[in-house]
Amino acid sequence: ADFLIIMLMPFLVLYVTNVNWLNTFLSSKPVHFLGLISYSLYVNHYIFINTYKSVSNFAGIDNKLFSISYVLICTFILSCITFYGIERPALNFLRKKSAKKEPIMGKA
């Protein structure tokens, strides 16, 4: 199975690089934004998956739709907050800090 996946990978890359519905979808602004906040989504989703039972019991709602909505919406909101409040400023700080350093090579 792994060998088959490896052999089909070039065809997937060729398909994605051509103009088609998959390329159009993957290059859309919402998908791009989800890619930007993907690390924050990854880090934050566990908080709400871990607490959805307590929240649904507290709210008195025992509904799968409520639980799924709670996890998705709260994860998305917290991920936006942590991306713009922590991740992006930290990346900008590190870029500025690394740009100020002079390369060691080439000094005499």
Side-chain angles (χ1 to χ4, degrees), residues 23-96:
N23 187 348
T24 303
F25 173 72
L26 292 176
S27 61
S28 66
K29 288 185 179 186
V31 173
H32 177 74
F33 180 71
L34 287 175
L36 287 176
I37 67 168
S38 63
Y39 183 72
S40 293
L41 288 169
Y42 167 72
V43 170
N44 295 325
H45 81 280
Y46 185 74
I47 296 168
F48 299 105
I49 288 176
N50 214 17
T51 61
Y52 79 91
K53 285 183 183 179
S54 301
V55 170
S56 63
N57 289 340
F58 179 75
I61 302 172
D62 188 22
N63 186 341
K64 287 186 180 184
L65 180 62
F66 171 78
S67 298
I68 292 170
S69 299
Y70 164 75
V71 171
L72 291 176
I73 292 169
C74 292
T75 301
F76 182 77
I77 291 170
L78 183 62
S79 296
C80 289
I81 292 169
T82 57
F83 175 74
Y84 287 111
I86 298 170
E87 188 176 348
R88 190 180 241 183
L91 288 171
N92 289 337
F93 172 77
L94 292 173
R95 281 188 194 118
K96 287 177 186 176

